[in-house]
Amino acid sequence: MPDYEFDVAPSFAGEDRAKVLPIVRRLEELGVRVFYDEDHTAKLWGSNLVDQLPEIYGKRARYVLMFASKHYVAKKWTNVERQAAQARALEEAGEYLLPIRLDETEVPGLPSTVAYLDLRRHSVEEIAQTFVQKLALAQHKPAFTGPALVTAEAVAALLDDRPRGWEYLLYIGVVSRGLRELDDKYREHFLRYAPRNGRVEHGSGIELIRDRNVQLSEIIKVAIETRFATSVQEAAFGAPGVDGDSQRIIHFGKLFVQTFDEILEWARAIHGTSYALEQARIAARVQARFADRQLLAMRAVVEDLRKVAGTLAERVTIGEKISTSPQDHLQDFDINMPLVFEVDPELEDEFRQALDRLSG
């Protein structure tokens, strides 16, 4: 990990200095190492700023706080700072350039999809505390973000530090790690493959097919009614303002993974069975695809969770509420297991035709 001289370098127009300075001083009070130009006047005196500014904003600071405004985009030196920061941001996988809006001015080269804080809506304290959380995550980046989130070391580091929102980071880590261990099974499912399990079906298999329909429905229903009940979630994640229970969260995450594995195994048993009648084999393999939509839905939930993991600390700090209630989800942070009972109409029609041929 690079040894940065500064934790952050604010980039702003002189006209906005009065708005920026309170944030700088609050960050310093919180122990953040800030490059603030007026604090380094003597050091910068006589130096070539064309060389110095790209060095500071591109290499010597871990983060750049960009205070976006109409003044900012019009200034020569802020453009030098911005271009140096953007050049580095292109080279790094993580977040480096942290924009703060002062007005509605668009900054050249900065995608509209990049998340902002806004000084018109967020207080100096909220912005400072959000940055401190961001910095804490960066100092443990291998533990808290990206692919490394799924390692055992990541979970241990997270439980040691317990930043705000740690409960959800822990849950994401446990679920991501568990599903990663099932990757081979998941891929094989969509290859419609499983090793032979030694079972041979000599008849039509109609009764077995009916039993399997009930089994899949029960796997999903029981998971929703017991493992993912509201009371179980609340016991794990805690009431508002109360720390969650780490062991319950880990168990809760494992239950999600276990349900995913049960559905895989349900289909795997079908693919692994040998069928004496070709029509029975065809009907069974169509039935195994009933698991597709549930597996894809659960996988999508986990992918969404992983996408927001890197911004969770900021979201919690600025006051976004994290709900554990199925009736009160976050717009883009839903820890609940999706319920997919419907079968694709085309697949259902294909299955019915296969059964008709089997029965005919």
Side-chain angles (χ1 to χ4, degrees):
M1 181 179 294
D3 185 16
Y4 296 105
E5 182 178 351
F6 304 102
D7 295 318
V8 66
S11 179
F12 60 93
E15 291 86 345
D16 299 320
R17 186 178 297 276
K19 297 177 180 178
V20 174
L21 184 57
I23 296 174
V24 169
R25 297 308 181 211
R26 180 57 183 143
L27 287 172
E28 291 173 336
E29 290 173 0
L30 293 170
V32 177
R33 297 172 300 165
V34 183
F35 172 81
Y36 181 62
D37 57 357
E38 288 193 343
D39 294 338
H40 296 268
T41 302
K43 191 172 183 179
L44 294 174
W45 187 17
S47 64
N48 186 341
L49 295 181
V50 173
D51 295 329
Q52 284 291 321
L53 293 180
E55 177 74 14
I56 293 167
Y57 288 90
K59 297 179 180 179
R60 290 162 57 187
R62 183 187 294 273
Y63 289 113
V64 168
L65 290 185
M66 175 191 290
F67 289 84
S69 72
K70 62 182 181 181
H71 304 298
Y72 185 83
V73 299
K75 292 292 184 176
K76 172 184 176 181
W77 292 116
T78 55
N79 283 332
V80 172
E81 297 166 2
R82 172 179 59 80
Q83 289 167 6
Q86 286 176 325
R88 176 174 155 192
L90 288 173
E91 298 174 358
E92 298 198 357
E95 305 87 3
Y96 165 66
L97 193 59
L98 308 177
I100 299 174
R101 283 194 183 278
L102 302 183
D103 58 33
E104 292 301 321
T105 302
E106 297 296 328
V107 177
L110 194 66
S112 60
T113 54
V114 172
Y116 284 82
L117 293 185
D118 193 322
L119 193 54
R120 296 166 299 177
R121 294 193 296 113
H122 304 125
S123 68
V124 168
E125 184 66 18
E126 287 172 333
I127 292 174
Q129 292 291 345
T130 298
F131 180 79
V132 169
Q133 291 293 319
K134 186 77 172 179
L135 183 61
L137 292 176
Q139 290 168 342
H140 295 282
K141 196 170 186 62
F144 300 145
T145 62
L149 182 68
V150 301
T151 66
E153 292 78 9
V155 172
L158 183 64
L159 290 176
D160 283 342
D161 287 356
R162 300 200 178 198
R164 293 186 67 184
W166 68 266
E167 295 95 338
Y168 297 90
L169 292 170
L170 175 60
Y171 178 74
I172 294 166
V174 171
V175 172
S176 297
R177 185 182 179 196
L179 260 60
R180 185 180 67 170
E181 293 173 354
L182 296 175
D183 274 350
D184 286 348
K185 277 188 187 181
Y186 180 77
R187 295 189 191 98
E188 288 171 1
H189 171 77
F190 287 96
L191 289 173
R192 313 307 176 190
Y193 165 80
R196 301 299 89 196
N197 57 25
R199 179 163 188 171
V200 179
E201 175 57 53
H202 291 281
S204 67
I206 291 292
E207 290 302 319
L208 182 59
I209 286 172
R210 289 173 179 166
D211 289 347
R212 285 168 176 162
N213 277 341
V214 173
Q215 288 167 1
L216 180 60
S217 177
E218 281 297 295
I219 289 171
I220 299 171
K221 284 182 179 179
V222 169
I224 296 297
E225 294 171 358
T226 59
R227 299 175 182 179
F228 299 96
T230 302
S231 59
V232 176
Q233 295 185 38
E234 290 178 347
F237 290 92
V242 178
D243 273 356
D245 183 318
S246 62
Q247 293 305 311
R248 287 179 182 269
I249 292 169
I250 291 171
H251 185 227
F252 186 54
K254 288 180 177 179
L255 289 177
F256 186 101
V257 175
Q258 183 178 322
T259 300
F260 191 86
D261 192 29
E262 274 192 83
I263 297 169
L264 282 174
E265 286 293 334
W266 174 85
R268 202 172 178 83
I270 297 174
H271 288 304
T273 297
S274 299
Y275 300 89
L277 297 179
E278 180 61 17
Q279 293 301 333
R281 179 178 181 275
I282 292 173
R285 292 178 70 83
V286 172
Q287 183 184 35
R289 288 156 54 196
F290 285 4
D292 290 5
R293 293 184 73 178
Q294 184 66 51
L295 292 171
L296 289 169
M298 293 179 73
R299 186 91 169 191
V301 165
V302 176
E303 289 304 313
D304 288 344
L305 293 177
R306 294 190 67 181
K307 287 177 183 177
V308 302
T311 61
L312 181 58
E314 293 97 315
R315 296 166 62 199
V316 174
T317 302
I318 63 176
E320 183 172 341
K321 294 182 179 179
I322 306 294
S323 172
T324 59
S325 170
Q327 290 77 34
D328 188 24
H329 295 155
L330 287 175
Q331 181 177 356
D332 61 348
F333 194 95
D334 184 354
I335 66 171
N336 294 281
M337 178 176 153
L339 181 61
V340 181
F341 282 126
E342 320 86 56
V343 177
D344 180 79
E346 292 184 4
L347 179 60
E348 190 170 21
D349 186 57
E350 183 181 352
F351 182 59
R352 189 177 298 109
Q353 292 178 32
L355 288 181
D356 289 343
R357 288 192 296 270
L358 183 59
S359 302

